[in-house]
Amino acid sequence: MNGMGLWKAVLSGGGEPMVEPEFCERFVNEIDSPNLEEIELITSAHFAADEDETRRRVRSLVDAWRTRPSNLAQANFTIRISLDWFHAQRIGVEPAARVIRLLGEEGLQDVGCYVRSVLLDGDTTTEKLAKSLGGQLTEMDDYQRKILLPDGRTILVYFKNLIVEGRMNQRKLSRLPISLPEQSRADVFGKRFESSQGKNVPARTYNGPQVRHLEGLACLIEDDGKVRILEGNDPHRSPNVRQTDGWSEAIEYLYADPITVYLVDNGPQDLAKLMADAFPDSVRMAADTNQLYHLTELLLADPDRRLYATLRTLELHVAEGRVTADQQVVDRAWALFSEHAKRDTDAAERG
């Protein structure tokens, strides 16, 4: 990661980073890049079981930040707390409240802190958190509310749309006392991230409370070592840090793929339109997928889709003069796609 030229380094979940607190401290202490401005740790605050444990864990993180070697970038440090209806059912709001209260103490007030929630109808989790903190809650504005604390601090609560896929399905959601509001639809929420040209390109957008369109890329390094551009590459074709000498080698491998180049330039919504001739359900996927960063996986879920997307994007890049390609090889690939498509159609008609 230190070779990626980072602006912001985020230690995230899909799990809970603070299950391994020593690694979190090492990350905060050692992560670096010449232009690094901020280090962010995302946690549910599950570790904050009582005041002593909260103080011990948070102080250790802050000490790791304050003792960063002098030759590293003097980046800010932020704790982002994940708290929504689903978290609250398991651990309540008190762990988050303990962390926020502690950060009001002397010597800790320069540590950034905000809450990431999920926008749901029927969810009173943020109200409960504000009440626990003795704070006043502002109205929603641009998917954000603020908790005004008695000590003068302001805690931002940023609401994202619910990831249905992976957590549950629509049937399970319908049985819960919460529901998806209109603002959580992909085509509504996604407008927040559109560029001045009206495009939503996740690979070049920071999707935090303040949207930032990037000169570089929004990238992930997953726990298995896989390196991905956020919704910007075929998830079946990613380099691995355990098999790669450095970031330059990883990005060269990623950019050798025409699908990746197209996604980085245009985003998954445009890829859905490009694939619609052969796969009409792509348009429905783009409209119905309420998780802004799940669409690429659906569009490229099987080999026929990936082959078609590769050939379509390759032909566009050839026409633009960006690459050259052996036309005989391209023709053979199209013939292979047609053969597979016919076989699938025949099988569907038989059965």
Side-chain angles (χ1 to χ4, degrees):
M1 289 184 72
N2 286 357
M4 293 171 71
L6 302 172
W7 150 64
K8 181 168 183 169
V10 180
L11 188 57
S12 183
E16 169 54 61
M18 284 295 285
V19 169
E20 300 183 32
E22 293 81 8
F23 178 78
C24 294
E25 292 160 21
R26 181 179 175 191
F27 181 91
V28 170
N29 184 257
E30 297 181 17
I31 192 70
D32 189 40
S33 266
N35 298 314
L36 185 65
E37 296 177 14
E38 185 175 20
I39 303 165
E40 182 172 292
L41 171 71
I42 301 178
T43 176
S44 67
H46 84 286
F47 63 87
D50 55 52
E51 289 191 13
D52 289 343
E53 186 67 6
T54 304
R55 179 168 280 101
R56 184 169 76 88
R57 289 302 185 194
V58 171
R59 287 283 183 183
S60 294
L61 286 168
V62 174
D63 288 346
W65 172 51
R66 297 202 191 284
T67 58
R68 284 169 56 81
S70 59
N71 62 310
L72 302 188
Q74 299 303 300
N76 295 322
F77 177 48
T78 296
I79 297 175
R80 189 189 96 174
I81 302 174
S82 295
L83 179 62
D84 51 47
W85 187 88
F86 301 95
H87 288 98
Q89 302 314 297
R90 292 192 283 273
I91 64 174
V93 302
E94 278 307 305
R98 288 189 193 101
V99 173
I100 293 170
R101 288 191 202 102
L102 177 66
L103 293 178
E105 292 185 0
E106 186 176 351
L108 293 175
Q109 294 182 11
D110 58 341
V111 177
C113 181
Y114 72 99
V115 176
R116 194 281 294 141
S117 193
V118 168
L119 188 60
L120 296 166
D121 283 337
D123 180 17
T124 59
T125 302
T126 305
E127 285 81 356
K128 292 175 181 176
L129 177 63
K131 183 178 179 181
S132 177
L133 294 167
Q136 298 295 315
L137 192 60
T138 66
E139 295 299 317
M140 184 81 71
D141 180 33
D142 189 27
Y143 293 88
Q144 300 174 56
R145 301 180 78 176
K146 296 176 181 177
I147 302 175
L148 309 178
L149 300 181
D151 62 8
R153 288 182 296 149
T154 297
I155 300 297
L156 176 69
V157 183
Y158 168 49
F159 295 83
K160 297 175 72 174
N161 65 333
L162 173 67
I163 305 172
V164 176
E165 300 84 0
R167 271 188 170 170
M168 66 185 72
N169 55 41
Q170 292 291 350
R171 186 176 65 179
K172 289 182 180 178
L173 181 62
S174 69
R175 297 172 181 169
L176 299 177
I178 43 92
S179 59
L180 290 176
E182 181 73 12
Q183 297 95 319
S184 278
R185 286 178 50 86
D187 56 349
V188 178
F189 184 62
K191 291 189 179 301
R192 190 172 185 271
F193 307 103
E194 288 182 353
S195 67
S196 56
Q197 290 77 39
K199 279 190 175 181
N200 178 8
V201 184
R204 293 196 178 277
T205 308
Y206 171 63
N207 68 326
Q210 286 75 44
V211 176
R212 179 163 169 172
H213 295 286
L214 307 175
E215 291 296 322
L217 300 169
C219 294
L220 307 171
I221 299 180
E222 299 181 344
D223 63 329
D224 61 359
K226 189 178 293 183
V227 182
R228 292 182 57 185
I229 303 170
L230 190 62
E231 291 306 290
N233 69 288
D234 179 349
H236 302 84
R237 190 183 187 281
S238 300
N240 192 296
V241 294
R242 299 186 179 102
Q243 302 161 358
T244 306
D245 289 334
W247 175 243
S248 59
E249 184 180 331
I251 201 71
E252 183 177 347
Y253 176 85
L254 286 163
Y255 274 1
D257 173 41
I259 297 177
T260 294
V261 174
Y262 186 87
L263 284 166
V264 166
D265 284 349
N266 301 284
Q269 296 279 351
D270 278 17
L271 182 63
K273 296 175 187 175
L274 189 69
M275 296 176 64
D277 286 347
F279 300 97
D281 61 344
S282 298
V283 177
R284 176 190 55 76
M285 289 177 184
D288 292 349
T289 304
N290 84 311
Q291 212 307 60
L292 192 64
Y293 302 118
H294 182 56
L295 180 55
T296 303
E297 285 88 345
L298 294 176
L299 292 173
L300 302 172
D302 60 64
D304 282 357
R305 288 178 175 274
R306 296 195 292 275
L307 178 57
Y308 182 80
T310 298
L311 292 171
R312 289 288 283 118
T313 53
L314 177 61
E315 286 189 336
L316 287 175
H317 295 155
V318 169
E320 293 166 359
R322 300 174 73 168
V323 294
T324 58
D326 186 325
Q327 191 57 47
Q328 288 185 334
V329 174
V330 174
D331 290 342
R332 286 204 300 272
W334 274 120
L336 179 64
F337 173 78
S338 298
E339 179 185 332
H340 276 249
K342 184 178 185 303
R343 189 180 306 159
D344 291 343
T345 301
D346 291 345
E349 290 175 349
R350 286 195 302 270

